[in-house]
């Protein structure tokens, strides 16, 4: 058994797909498949059920996955200890992020980080199920860090620090009956048809919670998975939307109106509370959140 076999197993367990795991590890799929098969042979167990179109962990694989990730964390700890004598940080970080959320200059941060720590490999993973999916991936150990938004309190399993925020605004077509209203009250929107993101996305949760508190029902007629496209549907007369202001800043043919009693959309940099923080993760947090101390 070697370290790469454990890395292959962890990556395939995270993706539940050999091709995506290979892409994530930037190696050939055949190498990943062979490595996992070799590990299964050495352990005398099957780690994945391959009998269906979508592979899944066997009960044994599910049992071993946390232990494998603990072992990989322990290896990183050894690497960190060795690096203390050379002051050079190496290793890798997997960071989750939301698509089309431009409140944080992630490319700029990554560029600065690479300049300061060229020995650290950084992989980015886009949220497939909104911030709720990023929370789950942090808790399971699939991500080291994530830029995410929350519609309520920070989950107990996470450490999260706010990094940027944007007010929520009502986006309506130029000729809408509310186009000149200031500010808009939620009870005046009960008969509107809404464009929104699916459940699990933080902006959706913020708006749903605000309407629940106000005791107002609303109708979501169109769901889009990319927050950057929602205002385009509004501009074409297909409904109204409550969005973070940045998501509609450049949209044409719409008005952006202040709305009462809807909390801001806040982006956090988050990590799992239970995982050991590597030197590479700590260095990235120090860059993104100057003055913050990453949890040990």
């Amino acid at each position: 058994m070697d370290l790469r076999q454990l890395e292959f197993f962890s990556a395939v367990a995270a993706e539940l797909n050999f091709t995506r795991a290979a892409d994530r590890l930037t190696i050939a799929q055949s190498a990943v498949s062979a490595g996992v098969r070799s590990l299964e042979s050495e352990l005398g167990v099957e780690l994945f059920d391959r009998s269906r179109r979508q592979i899944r962990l066997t009960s044994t694989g599910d049992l071993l996955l946390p232990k494998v990730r603990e072992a990989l964390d322990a290896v990183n700890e050894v690497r960190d200890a060795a690096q203390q004598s050379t002051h050079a940080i190496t290793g890798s970080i997997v960071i989750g992020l939301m698509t089309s959320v431009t409140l944080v200059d992630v490319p700029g941060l990554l560029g600065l980080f690479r300049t300061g720590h060229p020995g650290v490999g950084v992989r980015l993973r886009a949220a497939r199920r909104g911030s709720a999916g990023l929370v789950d991936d942090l808790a399971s150990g699939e991500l080291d860090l994530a830029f995410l938004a929350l519609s309520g309190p920070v989950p107990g399993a996470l450490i999260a620090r706010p990094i940027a925020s944007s007010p929520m605004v009502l986006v309506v077509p130029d000729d809408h009956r509310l186009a000149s209203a200031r500010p808009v009250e939620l009870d005046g929107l009960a008969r509107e048809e809404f464009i929104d993101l699916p459940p699990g996305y933080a902006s959706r949760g913020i708006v749903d919670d605000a309407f629940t508190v106000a005791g107002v029902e609303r109708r979501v007629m169109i769901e889009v998975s990319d927050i950057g496209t929602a205002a385009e549907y509004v501009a074409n007369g297909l409904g109204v939307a409550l969005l973070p202001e940045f998501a509609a800043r450049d949209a044409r043919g719409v008005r952006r109106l202040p709305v009462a009693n809807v909390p801001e959309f806040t982006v956090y940099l988050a990590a799992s509370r239970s995982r050991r923080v590597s030197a590479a993760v700590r260095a990235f947090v120090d860059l993104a959140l100057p003055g913050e101390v990453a949890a040990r």
Side-chain angles (χ1 to χ4, degrees):
M1 184 187 309
D2 62 40
L3 181 62
R4 287 300 276 171
Q5 290 174 328
L6 300 183
E7 291 175 339
F8 294 166
F9 169 52
S10 179
V12 176
E15 300 290 347
L16 292 179
N17 183 285
F18 281 91
T19 300
R20 289 199 299 268
D23 290 343
R24 175 173 168 175
L25 296 167
T26 63
I27 61 174
Q29 179 184 332
S30 58
V32 175
S33 299
V36 172
R37 284 290 191 192
S38 178
L39 180 61
E40 290 176 319
S41 177
E42 289 187 39
L43 295 175
V45 298
E46 287 193 348
L47 300 171
F48 295 99
D49 178 356
R50 302 171 176 83
S51 64
R52 304 185 183 191
R53 185 174 183 179
Q54 172 71 53
I55 68 167
R56 60 181 181 179
L57 283 164
T58 62
S59 57
T60 302
D62 196 46
L63 177 67
L64 293 180
L65 180 59
K67 299 182 183 299
V68 167
R69 287 182 172 151
E70 287 175 8
L72 292 173
D73 282 345
V75 170
N76 287 331
E77 189 170 358
V78 171
R79 183 182 290 117
D80 290 347
Q83 290 165 5
Q84 289 178 1
S85 62
T86 64
H87 305 290
I89 298 175
T90 61
S92 64
I93 310 175
V94 184
I95 302 175
L97 74 165
M98 302 170 286
T99 57
S100 299
V101 175
T102 57
L103 283 176
V104 180
D105 181 12
V106 175
L109 277 174
L110 293 178
L112 290 173
F113 185 74
R114 171 167 288 184
T115 298
H117 305 285
V120 179
V122 179
R123 297 198 301 270
L124 295 184
R125 289 184 58 187
R128 295 191 292 266
R129 295 182 291 115
S131 286
L134 294 175
V135 170
D136 290 344
D137 289 346
L138 284 170
S140 69
E142 295 175 24
L143 298 175
D144 296 302
L145 293 168
F147 291 99
L148 52 78
L150 299 168
S151 58
V154 176
L158 300 186
I159 299 170
R161 300 290 183 265
I163 192 169
S165 61
S166 175
M168 298 291 288
V169 296
L170 179 68
V171 184
V172 302
D174 279 336
D175 58 355
H176 193 273
R177 64 182 180 87
L178 295 173
S180 60
R182 296 279 195 285
V184 177
E185 300 290 339
L186 294 183
D187 58 8
L189 301 175
R191 61 188 179 96
E192 298 294 335
E193 295 183 348
F194 277 83
I195 295 138
D196 211 328
L197 278 75
Y201 287 72
S203 59
R204 172 67 178 265
I206 290 169
V207 175
D208 283 349
D209 291 348
F211 273 89
T212 298
V213 170
V216 179
E217 293 187 6
R218 70 172 184 139
R219 295 176 296 160
V220 177
M221 305 303 292
I222 296 176
E223 291 183 346
V224 297
S225 59
D226 186 344
I227 198 170
T229 65
E232 297 176 17
Y233 289 82
V234 175
N236 283 280
L238 298 172
V240 303
L242 275 163
L243 300 170
E245 192 274 336
F246 73 84
R249 184 178 297 138
D250 299 325
R252 297 182 178 181
V254 301
R255 300 286 181 90
R256 294 165 293 278
L257 310 173
V259 59
N261 301 315
V262 179
E264 288 188 328
F265 180 94
T266 300
V267 175
Y268 296 80
L269 181 59
S272 169
R273 188 177 293 276
S274 62
R275 290 195 70 191
R276 190 193 66 83
V277 177
S278 70
V281 169
R282 191 175 299 115
F284 187 87
V285 172
D286 288 344
L287 176 65
L289 299 171
E292 291 283 349
V293 178
R296 293 328 195 241

